[in-house]
Amino acid sequence: MNAGIAQLQMQFRDYTISLYQQGFLDDQFTELKKLQDDGSPDFVAEVLLLFFEDCVKLIGNMARALDKSTGTVDFSQVGASVHQLKGSSSSVGAKRVKGLCVTFKEYCEAQNYEGCVRCLQQVDIEYKTLKTKLQDMFNLEKQIVQAGGVVPQVDID
Amino acid sequence: MTMEQELEVLDQFPVGMRVLAVDDDQTCLRILQNLLHRCQYHVTTTNQAQTALELLRDNKNKFDLVISDVDMPDMDGFKLLELVGLEMDLPVIMLSAHSDHKYVMKGVKHGACDYLLKPVRIEELKNIWQHVVRKSKLKKNKSSVSYGFENEGKANRKRKDQFEEEEEEERGNENDDPTAQKKPRVLWTRELHNKFLVAVDHLGVEKAVPKKILDLMNVDKLTRENVASHLQKFRLALKKITYEANQQANRAAIDSHLMQMSSLKGLGSSFHHHQRPIHVGSGQFHGGGATMMRHYPSNTTLGRLNSLSGGMFQPVSSSFPRNHNDVGGNILQGMPLPPLDELHINNNKTFPNFTPQQSSLMVAPNNLLALEGHQQSSSPSLNPGFSPHLEMNKRLEHWSNAVLSTNIPQSDVHSKPEALEWNMFCDSASPLINTNLDTDSRSFGRNTDFGSSNATQTEFFNPLQMNQQPENNAGPMTEAQLFRSSNPKEGLVMEQQKLQSGFMASDAGSLDDIFNSVMAQEQSQSDFSEGDLGFGLFGSLGTCI
């Protein structure tokens, strides 16, 4: 069993590091993890849950704003949603999503419709990817805990 | 909270500091909440700006600090910032994902204590309690020991956030003062001061906060900072006046009794309350302006005071016999100031003779003094002529200070109302404000407006004399009015320097001559720039008389 826990822990560590290395997560995620303690044991999971809810809501706003069938595209409205997504993604450490938002915002300001639509599609894919990856990470954590082990602290350089 | 309570809370800071966090982004809000908890603050969150306002309005003492996002759908964060500053005068920290300089600038201009960029780090939040301490200290200082005029400016600046430096810059730009003043200042003209008083009156002296006052005043280019510093001086002046009024009242009561006993003849002899008893030549009592003047050749302040008091007192003296406990008696004793205070204190029996104008003169100091304690009745402006204007107040202040401290003989008082006024104005505000009335004599020596004051005296005397028997109510009434309308100490202090130049510049009707002469004298003495004073003061003087 111990070997099992150790293995799980190693898996967890490697997986987490890879997320950072692949640019899915950044320092802010590390900070977020620091805020999790006995007082708020599921803090990170709670925040990420809220974040993904925000993603759904904001992407929906952007899609509606970019919907030409409703009339002229209101780029400022798109931009406002992008701005908010940028804020929340930066707060949780969702690095790729945040990076996309920066590009997305530029397209909005330039009123580049195609660029905006492309960005919207990418943001949608990106947040879903991140969600899947983080879910895998949380699952590993759960397995470790269920196996009686302690989730290791992963130091990212 | 009382001062003591506030201090206690401060001692425990930052633990338990009550923060209201506002952000429509639930992710950020949740993180912020956790971060604030870790800083050991007490956190309340809402994702609606409107809800936040309601929470704040519900109980103004419920929170110590507000952190708000800038971009919110239901209300612009800057708008919330403004409202919070105006209504509750709480420190507000802005949060935003916008790192643009212009947004930060906007936040600062709207009164934000700080501007944090998302994602917020806990290190930044650990320091936000400083804003609360700073702000509460600022509030406390407003009602505590007065600063010198110069010092006030500096102290205010030190207390200010670095962000607020920008407002000062703005103020500097707004002011076209070409004078040699160290820093440009807003000139608190009579009109401006009146507006200020009206706003403060409307809000209530206790509840008047700079933002609200600024809003009510609705003056272009006037910053909250300007109002804040003006308000501070105003409050300091009030406090001082009240204190001094009380002191004077006590003395006046004694004096009046003495006076009665000694009758007019003994006028000069019984004034030993003050440090420098001044002989009061009974002959000089009435209209001895010229004579008076001579007495204080080098003491413009004193001269002014005298002239002021003289003018005021004159009627009093004449009515002295019948004013037992009148201020008049006190006045005779060369305590113009006290009389005023005493008037208030003694139900204003003291200056029965004061016409509104006169009263205003007298009242100004009284108002200042009695404001806090006695006549809080904020009537509109005492003097139609003088109006609550700064000048009046200043003069009165000087006048009262001078009188109290120097035991100006009656004659002096009578003869040098103008001189006093001018002197008072000329004197730096700080000495005036900071010193006890009893020790104000020092300030008298500054200016030598006697020459001009003579003319002034005449002006003053006439009206005074004519109104020898004003209703006693006039005193208090006018005082209150004066108080309300004028900016007692504050005006004096703040505008001391300005006044000087201002006086010189303006032509106030019948006071033109006086002013001119004063100007000439003051110019030689004053060290402030004329530009500062502006013409508002003078204008009011003119109308007064």
Side-chain angles (χ1 to χ4, degrees):
Chain A
M1 288 319 298
N2 282 344
I5 293 175
Q7 200 176 14
L8 284 170
Q9 285 172 335
M10 201 161 64
Q11 247 184 306
F12 172 79
R13 192 182 275 110
D14 291 341
Y15 194 68
T16 305
I17 291 173
S18 74
L19 287 180
Y20 280 91
Q21 284 176 341
Q22 289 167 42
F24 284 102
L25 300 171
D26 62 18
D27 285 346
Q28 189 57 26
F29 187 77
T30 316
E31 292 295 319
L32 217 63
K33 286 198 114 176
K34 287 183 189 171
L35 295 178
Q36 179 164 298
D37 57 13
D38 294 338
S40 46
D42 300 314
F43 179 67
V44 180
E46 282 173 20
V47 174
L48 285 169
L49 197 68
L50 292 173
F51 170 66
F52 290 126
E53 279 178 17
D54 277 351
C55 284
V56 172
K57 181 184 86 178
L58 291 169
I59 288 172
N61 289 349
M62 295 173 207
R64 268 189 300 278
L66 283 169
D67 186 359
K68 278 190 167 173
S69 66
T70 56
T72 45
V73 173
D74 186 352
F75 284 100
S76 64
Q77 203 172 342
V78 183
S81 294
V82 173
H83 175 74
Q84 188 159 352
L85 186 62
K86 179 186 162 198
S88 47
S89 59
S90 67
S91 298
V92 301
K95 192 175 177 183
R96 281 201 190 179
V97 176
K98 176 184 150 193
L100 269 175
C101 285
V102 174
T103 311
F104 199 160
K105 208 170 176 187
E106 287 167 12
Y107 281 124
C108 285
E109 281 161 14
Q111 306 217 345
N112 183 330
Y113 182 75
E114 278 73 29
C116 283
V117 171
R118 254 200 324 274
C119 280
L120 179 64
Q121 289 165 346
Q122 284 175 324
V123 159
D124 190 53
I125 293 167
E126 201 56 56
Y127 100 85
K128 284 172 178 166
T129 308
L130 179 65
K131 189 174 179 184
T132 310
K133 298 232 174 235
L134 287 174
Q135 272 170 348
D136 289 343
M137 195 186 78
F138 284 127
N139 279 337
L140 277 172
E141 280 187 358
K142 207 159 121 187
Q143 285 174 43
I144 294 170
V145 170
Q146 278 176 349
V150 173
V151 178
Q153 197 130 17
V154 183
D155 291 325
I156 313 295
D157 289 329
Chain B
M1 276 196 276
T2 63
M3 198 74 80
E4 293 67 31
Q5 285 172 329
E6 284 180 7
L7 281 169
E8 283 174 20
V9 172
L10 282 176
D11 288 343
Q12 297 163 12
F13 262 20
V15 174
M17 186 175 82
R18 299 155 305 168
V19 181
L20 176 64
V22 191
D23 195 337
D24 65 323
D25 184 333
Q26 57 178 350
T27 310
C28 296
L29 194 62
R30 182 72 181 84
I31 296 172
L32 187 62
Q33 183 184 37
N34 188 301
L35 290 172
L36 291 169
H37 272 140
R38 281 174 184 275
C39 295
Q40 295 183 287
Y41 304 143
H42 182 271
V43 189
T44 305
T45 58
T46 174
N47 58 3
Q48 300 260 330
Q50 199 55 46
T51 310
L53 268 179
E54 283 165 21
L55 282 170
L56 289 165
R57 283 171 180 159
D58 185 44
N59 182 354
K60 295 190 179 176
N61 291 324
K62 219 168 158 186
F63 299 102
D64 300 306
L65 181 136
V66 178
I67 297 184
S68 170
D69 184 37
V70 166
D71 306 294
M72 289 188 288
D74 67 331
M75 187 189 298
D76 181 16
F78 294 115
K79 183 71 186 167
L80 176 67
L81 164 64
E82 264 188 40
L83 289 172
V84 172
L86 189 79
E87 295 181 26
M88 296 107 200
D89 200 24
L90 284 176
V92 181
I93 293 176
M94 301 309 294
L95 272 183
S96 179
H98 283 298
S99 57
D100 287 349
H101 175 73
K102 64 178 182 194
Y103 283 91
V104 181
M105 184 83 74
K106 195 173 176 187
V108 169
K109 286 189 179 184
H110 282 75
C113 289
D114 210 340
Y115 192 102
L116 304 177
L117 294 179
K118 288 181 179 178
V120 182
R121 293 292 189 109
I122 196 168
E123 291 80 18
E124 292 171 308
L125 293 176
K126 277 183 177 163
N127 288 326
I128 58 175
W129 60 270
Q130 293 174 12
H131 300 293
V132 178
V133 177
R134 212 174 285 139
K135 200 149 189 139
S136 84
K137 263 194 120 183
L138 196 70
K139 286 179 190 172
K140 263 189 267 173
N141 286 337
K142 282 180 184 177
S143 54
S144 64
V145 179
S146 58
Y147 294 83
F149 180 57
E150 293 287 322
N151 291 339
E152 272 189 12
K154 290 175 194 163
N156 283 340
R157 257 205 297 271
K158 281 178 195 165
R159 287 195 295 269
K160 285 175 188 162
D161 221 290
Q162 58 186 5
F163 287 94
E164 293 178 306
E165 281 171 12
E166 190 167 291
E167 285 189 80
E168 285 194 347
E169 300 281 318
E170 282 181 351
R171 185 168 50 194
N173 295 335
E174 294 160 10
N175 201 334
D176 291 329
D177 194 347
T179 66
Q181 276 232 321
K182 292 173 193 177
K183 48 185 183 284
R185 291 192 178 278
V186 164
L187 177 61
W188 281 89
T189 62
R190 176 176 45 168
E191 289 75 31
L192 202 60
H193 181 61
N194 278 350
K195 282 187 174 177
F196 171 83
L197 287 172
V198 166
V200 170
D201 190 25
H202 177 74
L203 297 166
V205 176
E206 292 305 311
K207 290 185 177 177
V209 290
K211 248 336 179 127
K212 288 187 196 174
I213 297 171
L214 182 67
D215 236 47
L216 288 173
M217 283 176 72
N218 194 28
V219 172
D220 259 6
K221 294 186 182 177
L222 189 68
T223 69
R224 189 183 74 85
E225 213 74 295
N226 301 142
V227 176
S229 102
H230 193 73
L231 179 66
Q232 176 178 15
K233 291 171 184 164
F234 182 80
R235 288 199 172 130
L236 289 174
L238 286 184
K239 194 161 191 161
K240 193 163 176 39
I241 291 171
T242 302
Y243 173 78
E244 287 169 346
N246 287 332
Q247 304 266 321
Q248 290 306 332
N250 296 336
R251 262 182 259 123
I254 298 169
D255 284 344
S256 60
H257 285 295
L258 284 175
M259 286 303 301
Q260 289 180 22
M261 297 183 333
S262 60
S263 85
L264 286 172
K265 279 187 272 176
L267 284 178
S269 56
S270 54
F271 313 157
H272 296 291
H273 299 283
H274 305 287
Q275 298 157 4
R276 296 197 234 139
I278 297 171
H279 170 69
V280 179
S282 38
Q284 296 172 333
F285 215 141
H286 299 274
T291 322
M292 298 289 178
M293 300 296 272
R294 278 184 263 125
H295 290 288
Y296 307 89
S298 59
N299 192 348
T300 44
T301 305
L302 185 58
R304 285 193 191 157
L305 192 58
N306 284 336
S307 56
L308 270 181
S309 51
M312 303 205 328
F313 286 103
Q314 207 171 8
V316 175
S317 59
S318 59
S319 57
F320 176 71
R322 63 179 179 73
N323 298 331
H324 298 303
N325 298 317
D326 280 351
V327 174
N330 297 322
I331 296 173
L332 286 178
Q333 297 180 1
M335 306 190 329
L337 200 74
L340 283 181
D341 299 333
E342 292 166 30
L343 277 177
H344 288 292
I345 298 169
N346 302 325
N347 296 324
N348 304 315
K349 304 177 227 172
T350 52
F351 294 99
N353 300 328
F354 286 96
T355 56
Q357 288 183 351
Q358 293 174 1
S359 313
S360 59
L361 276 178
M362 290 184 46
V363 175
N366 280 341
N367 283 335
L368 292 177
L369 294 167
L371 192 60
E372 289 191 9
H374 307 280
Q375 316 198 345
Q376 289 289 343
S377 54
S378 30
S379 28
S381 71
L382 272 186
N383 262 331
F386 280 99
S387 75
H389 209 7
L390 262 178
E391 322 162 27
M392 244 340 238
N393 293 328
K394 291 188 189 173
R395 284 199 239 143
L396 286 170
E397 180 139 70
H398 284 277
W399 168 76
S400 32
N401 288 336
V403 174
L404 287 174
S405 56
T406 56
N407 260 340
I408 299 169
Q410 290 265 328
S411 57
D412 286 335
V413 168
H414 288 295
S415 58
K416 301 175 179 142
E418 287 305 326
L420 277 178
E421 290 179 16
W422 291 113
N423 289 335
M424 294 206 292
F425 281 107
C426 289
D427 284 344
S428 63
S430 28
L432 199 66
I433 302 251
N434 295 328
T435 59
N436 272 335
L437 287 176
D438 284 341
T439 57
D440 266 337
S441 50
R442 284 181 250 136
S443 58
F444 288 101
R446 308 253 180 73
N447 303 305
T448 54
D449 282 333
F450 277 77
S452 55
S453 53
N454 281 330
T456 319
Q457 287 179 5
T458 311
E459 308 278 354
F460 277 91
F461 278 178
N462 289 336
L464 287 174
Q465 287 179 349
M466 287 199 315
N467 303 311
Q468 290 246 332
Q469 324 267 337
E471 324 72 54
N472 285 343
N473 296 336
M477 267 298 289
T478 49
E479 288 185 17
Q481 288 172 338
L482 254 188
F483 177 79
R484 290 203 57 73
S485 56
S486 60
N487 189 354
K489 292 226 172 168
E490 189 172 343
L492 278 170
V493 178
M494 281 177 30
E495 306 305 330
Q496 278 275 349
Q497 298 185 343
K498 291 186 187 175
L499 275 177
Q500 288 194 357
S501 48
F503 276 102
M504 302 225 242
S506 69
D507 281 331
S510 57
L511 291 174
D512 276 3
D513 294 341
I514 298 166
F515 282 96
N516 290 335
S517 55
V518 172
M519 274 173 50
Q521 295 204 2
E522 292 188 4
Q523 271 193 334
S524 56
Q525 297 178 0
S526 65
D527 25 285
F528 34 116
S529 49
E530 289 195 344
D532 261 3
L533 277 182
F535 290 76
L537 293 175
F538 283 86
S540 61
L541 282 176
T543 50
C544 294
I545 310 240

